[in-house]
Amino acid sequence: GSHAPLEDTAPRIVEHPTDVLVSKGEPATLSCKAEGRPAPLVEWYKDGERVETDREDPRSHRTLLPGGSLFFLRILHGRRGKPDEGVYVCVARNYLGEATSRNASLQVAGE
């Protein structure tokens, strides 16, 4: 029998990030998995601002994993602020549309 061609589909988030509490200097992962055809491009936003990963800056301590999760080599936290603390969402896009995950907060455990 002949198979009907697979239809393109808009992205949907199949695994949402959850809140994490991390000790400073420790690694952390914010999970996100999206499905769609063509495979959606995943971007992360923190407090509404796009998160740069090692794709944009090779020195970045944040890595976008192949499935779409965001991995922190170590949580940065200094006297001048908490650059990794905040509310994150992951957004998956392809030409048919986009899907936004639930909010997940990343907090650094108390000093």
Side-chain angles (χ1 to χ4, degrees), residues 4-16:
L6 287 165
E7 289 194 13
D8 287 356
T9 56
R12 65 190 183 97
I13 308 280
V14 291
E15 187 182 329
H16 291 264

Side-chain angles (χ1 to χ4, degrees), residues 42-44 50-65 69-72:
V42 170
E43 291 184 325
W44 284 86
R50 193 164 171 273
V51 173
E52 286 211 330
T53 64
D54 59 357
R55 292 191 179 183
E56 290 87 28
D57 178 0
R59 295 185 311 261
S60 174
H61 66 293
R62 292 181 289 250
T63 300
L64 191 61
L65 300 178
S69 295
L70 185 64
F71 175 70
F72 300 80

Side-chain angles (χ1 to χ4, degrees), residues 46-47 82-88 104-107:
K46 169 183 168 295
D47 300 328
K82 307 175 178 179
D84 290 326
E85 213 169 65
V87 176
Y88 289 79
S105 71
L106 186 150
Q107 285 184 300

Side-chain angles (χ1 to χ4, degrees), residues 1 4 6-7 11 25 33-34 36-37 46 49 53-54 63 76-79 83 94 96-97 99 103 106-107:
L6 287 165
E7 289 194 13
K33 199 166 163 199
R37 183 180 303 274
K46 169 183 168 295
E49 303 239 326
T53 64
D54 59 357
T63 300
L76 296 186
H77 187 78
R79 289 186 295 278
N94 67 16
L96 284 169
N103 289 351
L106 186 150
Q107 285 184 300

